[in-house]
Amino acid sequence: MINMPENLSQLIDQKTFAHLATVMSDGSPHVAPVWIDHKDGHILITSGKGTVKDLNMRRNPNVAISMVEPENPYKFVSVKGTVIEVTEQGGDDLVDALAFKYLNEEKYPYRQEGDVYVIYKIEVEKFTGN
Amino acid sequence: MPNLSEHLTKFLDQKTFAHLATVMADGSPQVSPVWIDHADGYIRVNSAKGRVKDANMRREPNVAISMVDPDDPYSFTSIKGKVVEITEDGAEAHIDALAYKYLGVDTYPYRQETETRVTYKIEVQQIAGKNVSSKLT
């Protein structure tokens, strides 16, 4: 297990929106807000199979994440990392856990038939913040 | 002059933090929070010469921006755009205007003597995002 900087895990433990940057096939960047979690020193995010970010992370595992603290937007972190695991195992449970964290709902309410939720495990490689 | 959609200007006119993604020389992404405004149909951000994002935008003008509505965290927008102008002209006044918008002060308080402020004008090429109940995952 890797140790995650404490100010990063503290931020992730709040209802903080993470802005996940990935790279498109043409080399241009893409960034979108996502829910975020951490486990055993890694960042965990989830997305639906076939989304832009899913395709991007499978093609190019280099990602970056930017977050500002919900109560104090002048506290921020910017992370560079690598997706080290992409799995569907546990994807449904993680999206429900995140719905509980962010929406206080037992089940992710926006699930659509046919959606497959994927977990991306991200190793933090570089961390800046205040 | 390009038109920015109402959906977008609503974000830009508030004290919304924008998360600006650029691409590093090695092809990996970089993203960090920035202040943001708009003029004449273009998004504007401000940085200082020599910073990582400055170097990235000079090398690779394709950028992306993600924002969450400060008053409604389930409303968000995700933009793809292109830096069409990089200028030091007016960049000092621009950072003061942003400090006024975000901090309510007349002069940007974190100015460093050695830095040269730069304004990046960004043309919006694609907008995604909804007022959720859409999906954040």
Side-chain angles (χ1 to χ4, degrees), chain B residues 115-129:
Chain B
E115 76 182 11
T116 305
R117 301 303 309 187
V118 181
T119 295
Y120 310 84
K121 192 157 110 175
I122 297 166
E123 187 175 81
V124 176
Q125 294 180 325
Q126 202 186 318
I127 302 177

Side-chain angles (χ1 to χ4, degrees), chain B residues 18-131:
Chain B
H19 296 263
L20 174 74
T22 58
V23 176
M24 307 290 289
D26 67 2
S28 67
Q30 200 260 355
V31 58
S32 58
V34 292
W35 289 341
I36 194 163
D37 69 2
H38 64 101
D40 303 329
Y42 294 95
I43 287 178
R44 298 190 308 177
V45 298
N46 193 294
S47 184
K49 213 166 173 175
R51 297 256 177 95
V52 172
K53 50 178 151 329
D54 173 72
N56 286 354
M57 286 188 279
R58 288 175 193 271
R59 188 192 326 105
E60 167 57 75
N62 289 302
V63 297
I65 295 168
S66 167
M67 291 180 274
V68 173
D69 186 333
D71 294 327
D72 175 5
Y74 299 97
S75 175
F76 73 93
T77 191
S78 175
I79 296 162
K80 288 184 68 68
K82 186 168 253 176
V83 176
V84 292
E85 193 185 327
I86 298 177
T87 181
E88 292 163 27
D89 261 1
E92 292 287 342
H94 182 218
I95 192 67
D96 287 337
L98 287 168
Y100 184 77
K101 174 185 172 187
Y102 283 87
L103 302 174
V105 298
D106 286 328
T107 306
Y108 178 61
Y110 310 123
R111 194 174 257 111
Q112 288 165 26
E113 261 182 43
T114 50
E115 76 182 11
T116 305
R117 301 303 309 187
V118 181
T119 295
Y120 310 84
K121 192 157 110 175
I122 297 166
E123 187 175 81
V124 176
Q125 294 180 325
Q126 202 186 318
I127 302 177
K130 300 130 197 181
N131 193 327

